[in-house]
Amino acid sequence: MKVKVLGCSGSETIGHMPPGFLVNDRVMLDAGTISAALSIGAQSRITDIFISHTHLDHIKGVLFLADNIIGRNKQPVNIRAIPKVIDAIKKHLMNDLIWPDFTKIPTPKDPVLAYKPFPAGKFIKVAGLTVKAIPMTHPVPAVGFLVSDGKSSFIYSADTGPNEGLWAEAKKVKNLKGIIVDTSFPNSMDFVAGLSGHFTPAQLHEDLTKARVANSVPIFVYHIKPVHKNRVIKELRALGRKNVKILQEGKTYTF
């Protein structure tokens, strides 16, 4: 699988974009960044967007994508998420007040976007991929995604703090080629990380140690807060885990 990192930062500033991962040119995992990183043609090739949770840095790209592709696509782009996430987007975002409801534009029978809720814990098949939502530890309902093409798999945690279920799921996966996992704050901000549902390097190390995650599985850290980037990277390197790597924005990874 080809995964292009459109954005993988924990906030937005010059040189740092919110999370958005384009899989095989057609499927998005989260939508913090889409239009700022892709041409209109590339945006028009997206068929499905999996949303992990409703925080703005993971959903705002949907809004501008809809604006850019209206009239260009014959089929709606499917917004796939657990029901609580879909409900929140309907009520608080694309509600014709904050943003137009593109599931009814230009007409309800021929919309730009379509909601496709699905439950956590079950596999669904989309665009040649098999995807399973995995519950995460976050202040709002949130999931990560296990993605497979039948030959290899990877896990995207989205936003989470310490999470036994994440690593338990990882142990069951055959041909696991990598785990993209949140590490947002430095160790000195342990309280803030716990309050907001994110890892620090020390917390990540503790989780990996308890779960006995194999050192052969690459751990790609994402969602670092830009203002704390240097300190977080220094603390991650101090762990001495050779399989822990920093995910790079703009780079394409093969899993």
Side-chain angles (χ1 to χ4, degrees):
M1 286 173 287
K2 182 176 68 172
V3 179
K4 183 173 183 178
V5 181
L6 307 186
C8 63
S9 292
S11 188
E12 183 174 289
T13 186
I14 295 173
H16 300 274
M17 302 298 287
F21 302 89
L22 181 61
V23 184
N24 293 344
D25 298 321
R26 295 177 62 191
V27 175
M28 289 294 306
L29 302 181
D30 276 332
T33 299
I34 298 178
S35 57
L38 295 176
S39 68
I40 298 296
Q43 292 176 53
S44 298
R45 288 191 285 273
I46 295 171
T47 61
D48 297 84
I49 302 175
F50 285 86
I51 301 294
S52 64
H53 65 293
T54 54
H55 284 160
L56 192 61
D57 60 327
H58 291 255
I59 62 175
K60 71 182 182 68
V62 171
L63 309 182
F64 302 109
L65 173 73
D67 223 12
N68 289 339
I69 66 172
I70 186 169
R72 293 180 60 89
N73 291 19
K74 294 181 179 180
Q75 299 293 326
V77 176
N78 297 311
I79 307 302
R80 300 185 182 273
I82 59 175
K84 286 184 178 180
V85 170
I86 295 289
D87 291 345
I89 292 173
K90 286 180 180 180
K91 183 177 180 179
H92 299 294
L93 190 63
M94 287 195 290
N95 57 6
D96 289 324
L97 181 63
I98 300 300
W99 199 254
D101 183 357
F102 277 95
T103 66
K104 299 177 181 177
I105 297 173
T107 70
K109 291 184 178 181
D110 185 28
V112 178
L113 305 175
Y115 292 124
K116 300 289 184 179
F118 72 103
K122 291 188 177 182
F123 286 99
I124 65 169
K125 293 185 177 181
V126 173
L129 303 172
T130 302
V131 182
K132 179 182 179 181
I134 309 167
M136 293 295 128
T137 307
H138 208 51
V140 297
V143 297
F145 300 109
L146 165 61
V147 184
S148 175
D149 64 357
K151 297 178 181 178
S152 62
S153 304
F154 72 94
I155 290 175
Y156 164 53
S157 79
D159 290 9
T160 190
N163 188 336
E164 292 182 5
L166 169 63
W167 313 115
E169 190 69 40
K171 285 184 177 180
K172 297 187 292 184
V173 180
K174 295 181 180 180
N175 299 318
L176 183 63
K177 301 301 182 183
I179 303 173
I180 299 171
V181 66
D182 168 4
T183 305
S184 295
F185 293 101
N187 295 330
S188 62
M189 299 183 71
D190 180 271
F191 175 76
V192 175
L195 192 66
S196 58
H198 298 286
F199 274 114
T200 66
Q203 290 172 346
L204 177 64
H205 178 67
E206 183 178 356
D207 248 31
L208 291 172
T209 301
K210 287 192 300 184
R212 298 180 181 178
V213 176
N215 289 332
S216 59
V217 178
I219 307 294
F220 296 95
V221 168
Y222 98 113
H223 208 273
I224 300 173
K225 300 293 183 180
V227 69
H228 302 300
K229 182 177 180 180
N230 290 340
R231 196 164 14 147
V232 170
I233 291 176
K234 183 178 179 180
E235 290 174 354
L236 285 167
R237 289 174 176 165
L239 299 178
R241 291 182 174 272
K242 294 182 179 180
N243 62 324
V244 172
K245 308 172 186 296
I246 310 300
L247 206 67
Q248 301 295 316
E249 291 185 8
K251 185 174 179 179
T252 298
Y253 293 79
T254 301
F255 291 107

